[in-house]
Amino acid sequence: MVEIKIAKKAGFCMGVRRAVNLVLKALNSGMTPIYTYGPLIHNPQTLELLSSLGVKVIKDVNEELPKGTCIIRAHGVPPKEREALEKRHTIIDGTCPRVLKVQALAKGAKEAQKKVVIIGDKDHAEVKGILGYCEGVGYVVSSFQDIEKLPPLDNYLILSQTTQDEEIFKFLAEEILSRFPGGKVINTICNATEVRQNEVRRLSRECPAIVVIGGKFSANTVRLAQIAQNESRDVYLIEKVEELPLNTLKNYPKVGITAGASTPNWLINEVVDRLRSATNPFYRAFKAFHILAFHEAFAFLFLVLATSLWLTNIPKEILYTLLLFLFFLQLLRKNLYQYLLRDSYSTYYPLKGKTIERHKLLVKNLILGSGFIAFTTGFLLNPWLAIFSLSILAFDLLSMKKPLFVLGDLLLFVGIMGYLFPYWNETFFWLAGYTLISIIWFHLYKELIYLQSDGFLPKNFLILTLGMEEKKGHQILLLGLALLALPFFGLVIHKGDPAFLLFLLLIPLWGVLVYLLKQRPLGQILYLESLILLPQIGAFLLSLALYLLKK
């Protein structure tokens, strides 16, 4: 079994994520036609996604195109090219804030009548943009030979391409200063670049093989591969999961995985999943459990169990049959949803979409089998339950491409509460409130996981409808922790029994999910989704313990 080590910091940097999110916002706002001036970022897979979503690339500022919205790429553009674009299109500036800072420094140096030396790649889009602000007094140095070609310098400023290697920058800057005293150095290398380079050095000390994911023409991705090679590691630079040399990697005890600053998290998830699936049979079993939505069916089941334990005088055969009905109805609903919308996963969760497509027959059989058991048990319990389940499925089919889809689970639980009305009591009522809040909380949590995939979410996502950004979503989840605690306080107040405060032990379990989500762990999407079982199992066990104590 190969041990997989994933870089703590890899993939999209802040500037790239900001540019991609601007495109996502423009797409969901209907600002068509949408253009980017040059490639938005240096990642072929993301660019293919953009093209499939109708985003076109402007290669020349003088192209005759219908007036639309043009998003400036993360690397920035020269000021004259921006002015030309503004005459033709509405501009959304996707330039990385760190690059904007370098542009401002170059412009300030020019206005102060200083010359500017940029240490970087003269053919890189970012460097070309910075040179535009120098207006003829800028020079690019990428090697020792370029220093030989510099004119005499006295009053000048040395800047860096934001993705430059730290050691190369220091070496070249010192050499320039030794030849031309009087210059000033401002290290404008982005901290994200330095962190990622340090991470690959750390991985190289632990792993004999390093997989670097990213565009082969991406400067920062290539540098990560070069650093690992300099550490005498075997390096495999890949752009897509199909390029992963599985047969070779299986022979290493440890494999490190990192990614360039333009590599989306969904691609990292795919690569990690492919390597784990090829080397770890336990992971393959877990993946099947997860992809077939058993974690969601069990999560719902444990929630209902935690609540229904407190029903008054409900016959056991009714309760057990009802739980069986609900479990298989949820399996049916979740797999039917995933199967029908499997193509939509291609823009943000291709790992799931491709897996479902490969195992279509298995998914179809699971849908048919779980549907048969759900309808049979529902009908045997009460024919109206079978009719009710059909109405829930009809709602799912009508709303699955709309933000209203979240209401399906809520309507199901409310309907079951109505069916159980003859057995209600006060404890059941308050715990049912906790369950309803849990369902909404989990839906938001899951959408935020998908938002972290760095892909393009479909319009049926509630967070897009509400215009909710990642940070705001985290805040709402934290607020949700307080709402989850309210039913327990209500239970204590109305029952006058402080023992029910033990239910508050569930809140830290929910808090763990928020904490892990905020850490943005790479390559862990299946684990993050499955963690929802943690508080649901906890709710059942606490409820069972208290029920036995009171009994």
Side-chain angles (χ1 to χ4, degrees), residues 218-272:
S218 166
N220 70 84
T221 301
V222 172
R223 282 196 185 95
L224 291 177
Q226 289 172 342
I227 289 169
Q229 286 172 339
N230 292 340
E231 298 286 333
S232 301
R233 302 295 92 177
D234 294 335
V235 179
Y236 303 91
L237 175 56
I238 64 171
E239 283 190 350
K240 51 189 178 182
V241 68
E242 289 78 12
E243 297 175 4
L244 200 62
L246 290 175
N247 291 332
T248 302
L249 293 173
K250 287 178 183 178
N251 298 319
Y252 293 99
K254 293 182 182 180
V255 174
I257 296 179
T258 188
S262 296
T263 305
N265 197 6
W266 61 260
L267 183 53
I268 299 172
N269 283 325
E270 271 201 292
V271 171
V272 172

Side-chain angles (χ1 to χ4, degrees), residues 174-242:
E174 287 172 2
E175 183 63 27
I176 295 168
L177 287 172
S178 68
R179 296 192 182 204
F180 307 107
K184 180 181 178 182
V185 179
I186 299 180
N187 186 339
T188 52
I189 296 175
C190 176
N191 179 59
T193 300
E194 184 180 359
V195 168
R196 282 157 176 73
Q197 291 174 357
N198 288 336
E199 266 294 286
V200 79
R201 291 187 181 98
R202 181 188 67 80
L203 281 179
S204 297
R205 289 193 293 270
E206 299 179 23
C207 307
I210 303 293
V211 175
V212 182
I213 314 165
K216 293 176 181 177
F217 296 101
S218 166
N220 70 84
T221 301
V222 172
R223 282 196 185 95
L224 291 177
Q226 289 172 342
I227 289 169
Q229 286 172 339
N230 292 340
E231 298 286 333
S232 301
R233 302 295 92 177
D234 294 335
V235 179
Y236 303 91
L237 175 56
I238 64 171
E239 283 190 350
K240 51 189 178 182
V241 68
E242 289 78 12

